[in-house]
Amino acid sequence: MGDNVGDVAGMGADLFESYVGAILASMVLGVVFIHMPQITDHFQLGPVLLPLALSAVGILTSIFGTFFVRVSGNADPQKALNKGEFISSGVMVVLSYFLITYFLPESWMFMQPDGSMIEYTALGVFYATLIGLGIGIGIGKITEYYTGSGGKAVQSIVDKSHTGAATNIIAGLELGMKSTAIPVIGLAAAIIFSYHFAGLYGIAIAAVAMLANTGIQLAVDAYGPIADNAGGIAEMCELPKEVRQKTDKLDAVGNTTAAIGKGFAIASATLTALALFAAFMTQANIVVIDVSQPLIMAGLLVGGMLPYLFSSMAMGAVGRAAQKMINEVRRQFADIPELKNALEVLKKYDGDVSKVNAEEKKIMEKAEHAAQYEKCVEISTEASLKEMIMPGLLAVIAPAVVGFLGGAQMLGGMLAGVMASGVLLAIYQSNAGGAWDNAKKMMEEGVMHEEILHGKGSASHKATVVGDTVGDPFKDTSGPSLNILIKLMTVVALVIAPSIAEKKPVNKSDKPLEIKQKSAVEKDAEKDSKTISWYQAKQ
């Protein structure tokens, strides 16, 4: 149940928020172009409607890509899922070119706030689209490297688990921190080149392009909980050991796809938040944010702190809910006779239910019907709602307080700090948690170390279980929730931007025209010039 809620419904809500946020931000940024002569002559609402068109086509390409996800025999399901995603992205590249050339003119001029003119091109917007699609796939492959079962990165955690839980956790923390480098460099490059080709509008379009294939990305992410649930059903139905071994392999791939989905969500949240940030600056009439100013530096530091405070609240919520659930489970085993008898049977065979006899099997069946599962579900559901009130209020109130008390510039500094700190923390937590999970899966399949096979029940396996327990709130609660924090704060800032906007700077084009009376000599000279031009044209 938890996997369905977290990795399907929760991730779907996260990606949907990024999806809508990127579309809205790019539409807001596109509005500034609609009065440009070249845009008006071609298609006045083209820059505004283009994000909607790209998203609509992305839905169709996602559906098209699913038809190419096929697995036969013992083929690797990860490769099949990647194939569908790559084909969907390839079709999206082709169709986006025709969409962009339809909605936008070949080139157009735009006046900057300082009065200078800058040229935008449809080809530049297309290049920004390519960058968005490329960074989405790239982040997925990087995440797959750091969290993939059997990979070098996860193997390093497995190797260090033979010396205990402490070294397992240290290895996971090391991997998570190291895994932030390449994705952040990639995102930075994507931002720079998108801006180079199409300005702030290009960054927003890159975010839209990355999220255009959200459909197939969410389908890949949903594979994880499906495989995990299949393994749980196989275990509860006491199917042969070979079946459980196969579902474990599928589940290991599912952990990787879930981690890829989280990496994609983080990358898309970053570009979406940056697009919303650009829209906020436009609405608040901010041209430049100078970090050397004390107020802005203070906002930057406060913003950098907020993801850590938010993560601590999420972690604390998980810990408190887990304590309540453990106490409830202990109470049931102590107070319900059927469960107490079943526990004695499990202790007798060291948890191996395949060894129980017919009479003991009846005891186990009675325990299944006597267990009060709804109590545990109630605890987790109640905690998930009540414990998120304070973190939610933090994300809404913080930008409003800073914006109205410190001004738009200070709020801009805080948003920059939240994005920089939040993205790094989210990648670190997501990848560390995914790697810990797959390290446990690898250990359960059996690992040779110093000519001894370590598997389920071994000391090394117990160390990986500790790491996985630590990693679950990392990858399933704190990490993904930071995406929401980053986007929600920028959305709140965008909403209050008109109320805290600075005085609009006067552009050269905004200065009133000075009309001077022409002398008779000037009028005759102008008339002679027009006559000469007409005569030359006739010749």
Side-chain angles (χ1 to χ4, degrees):
M1 184 178 292
D3 284 332
N4 292 335
V5 172
D7 288 338
V8 179
M11 184 59 66
D14 186 2
L15 289 175
F16 180 72
E17 185 188 18
S18 295
Y19 192 69
V20 175
I23 293 171
L24 290 177
S26 51
M27 291 177 74
V28 169
L29 294 171
V31 167
V32 299
F33 296 136
I34 62 176
H35 296 301
M36 298 298 103
Q38 299 92 335
I39 296 288
T40 305
D41 294 341
H42 183 82
F43 184 3
Q44 186 171 16
L45 292 178
V48 179
L49 297 179
L50 177 61
L52 293 173
L54 289 172
S55 301
V57 170
I59 295 172
L60 299 178
T61 58
S62 293
I63 296 171
F64 180 74
T66 58
F67 292 106
F68 294 89
V69 181
R70 292 286 182 271
V71 180
S72 58
N74 293 321
D76 185 2
Q78 183 69 62
K79 292 181 180 178
L81 293 169
N82 288 342
K83 181 181 178 182
E85 190 175 352
F86 292 154
I87 289 175
S88 177
S89 299
V91 175
M92 185 64 200
V93 168
V94 177
L95 295 179
S96 64
Y97 174 79
F98 293 105
L99 281 175
I100 290 167
T101 53
Y102 174 78
F103 280 96
L104 301 177
E106 185 176 346
S107 65
W108 70 95
M109 302 300 294
F110 177 69
M111 181 174 287
Q112 299 279 68
D114 61 358
S116 61
M117 300 296 290
I118 185 171
E119 184 181 21
Y120 289 89
T121 65
L123 195 59
V125 175
F126 175 66
Y127 288 150
T129 304
L130 291 181
I131 291 169
L133 286 167
I135 192 63
I137 295 173
I139 292 289
K141 297 304 292 181
I142 294 165
T143 306
E144 183 181 342
Y145 169 78
Y146 281 110
T147 62
S149 181
K152 184 179 178 182
V154 176
Q155 184 65 52
S156 67
I157 298 179
V158 173
D159 293 339
K160 292 174 183 176
S161 300
H162 299 300
T163 50
T167 48
N168 171 280
I169 291 173
I170 291 170
L173 294 175
E174 174 205 348
L175 183 145
M177 293 177 185
K178 186 166 58 177
S179 70
T180 62
I182 300 176
V184 169
I185 292 171
L187 284 169
I191 291 167
I192 291 169
F193 287 112
S194 297
Y195 183 83
H196 171 74
F197 287 120
L200 294 174
Y201 186 69
I203 296 174
I205 287 295
V208 172
M210 180 191 290
L211 288 156
N213 286 335
T214 295
I216 193 166
Q217 189 62 50
L218 193 57
V220 171
D221 182 68
Y223 168 86
I226 292 170
D228 199 359
N229 286 341
I233 292 169
E235 189 170 1
M236 287 188 291
C237 295
E238 299 179 18
L239 294 179
K241 193 175 182 180
E242 296 76 20
V243 176
R244 183 57 184 165
Q245 287 175 344
K246 290 181 179 179
T247 58
D248 281 344
K249 289 182 180 179
L250 295 175
D251 190 20
V253 174
N255 288 334
T256 305
T257 60
I260 291 172
K262 290 178 176 68
F264 179 84
I266 294 166
S268 61
T270 304
L271 289 183
T272 301
L274 192 61
L276 290 167
F277 181 64
F280 160 75
M281 289 183 64
T282 302
Q283 294 297 311
N285 300 327
I286 298 174
V287 179
V288 176
I289 295 178
D290 185 0
V291 294
S292 66
Q293 298 297 318
L295 273 179
I296 297 172
M297 178 59 73
L300 192 69
L301 290 174
V302 171
M305 169 273 297
L306 286 176
Y308 289 89
L309 178 60
F310 189 86
S311 291
S312 72
M313 290 180 174
M315 289 279 193
V318 172
R320 287 187 291 273
Q323 279 186 317
K324 289 180 182 178
M325 194 171 295
I326 289 170
N327 290 332
E328 172 61 25
V329 171
R330 286 174 176 171
R331 182 199 66 79
Q332 291 190 28
F333 275 104
D335 297 346
I336 301 174
E338 293 86 350
L339 290 179
K340 190 181 293 185
N341 296 334
L343 184 59
E344 293 298 326
V345 174
L346 287 172
K347 287 180 178 178
K348 180 180 176 180
Y349 297 106
D350 198 22
D352 190 354
V353 294
S354 62
K355 296 178 181 179
V356 300
N357 57 37
E359 186 178 345
E360 290 168 336
K361 194 170 184 179
K362 290 180 181 179
I363 295 173
M364 300 293 292
E365 289 174 355
K366 287 181 181 179
E368 288 182 13
H369 296 291
Q372 299 171 356
Y373 301 109
E374 68 279 0
K375 295 286 186 182
C376 295
V377 175
E378 182 182 343
I379 289 170
S380 61
T381 305
E382 185 178 335
S384 66
L385 295 173
K386 288 184 177 179
E387 294 283 2
M388 285 296 107
I389 293 175
M390 289 305 296
L393 288 174
L394 174 69
V396 174
I397 293 174
V401 170
V402 171
F404 284 109
L405 295 182
Q409 291 270 352
M410 186 176 182
L411 178 55
M414 188 181 77
L415 293 178
V418 167
M419 280 189 282
S421 175
V423 169
L424 288 166
L425 194 58
I427 294 173
Y428 153 62
Q429 292 183 344
S430 178
N431 288 346
W436 269 319
D437 197 348
N438 272 343
K440 185 193 75 171
K441 287 288 188 299
M442 287 181 65
M443 192 66 74
E444 288 174 347
E445 292 174 5
V447 174
M448 290 295 296
H449 178 67
E450 296 181 353
E451 300 182 355
I452 299 174
L453 180 64
H454 297 263
K456 270 189 176 182
S458 65
S460 299
H461 176 247
K462 291 176 183 177
T464 60
V465 170
V466 173
D468 183 36
T469 305
V470 174
D472 276 341
F474 265 51
K475 68 182 177 65
D476 293 329
T477 305
S478 180
S481 65
L482 288 172
N483 302 336
I484 309 296
L485 174 72
I486 295 168
K487 291 177 291 186
L488 183 56
M489 289 186 68
T490 50
V491 168
V492 172
L494 180 59
V495 170
I496 67 172
S499 303
I500 60 174
E502 299 186 344
K503 291 183 179 180
K504 189 175 181 180
V506 179
N507 292 341
K508 293 178 181 179
S509 58
D510 294 336
K511 294 179 180 178
L513 294 175
E514 297 180 7
I515 302 175
K516 297 180 180 179
Q517 292 290 334
K518 295 181 179 179
S519 64
V521 176
E522 289 174 326
K523 289 180 181 178
D524 291 340
E526 184 178 347
K527 184 176 180 182
D528 292 341
S529 177
K530 288 181 180 179
T531 303
I532 293 169
S533 299
W534 176 83
Y535 178 76
Q536 289 175 341
K538 284 289 185 181
Q539 293 296 319

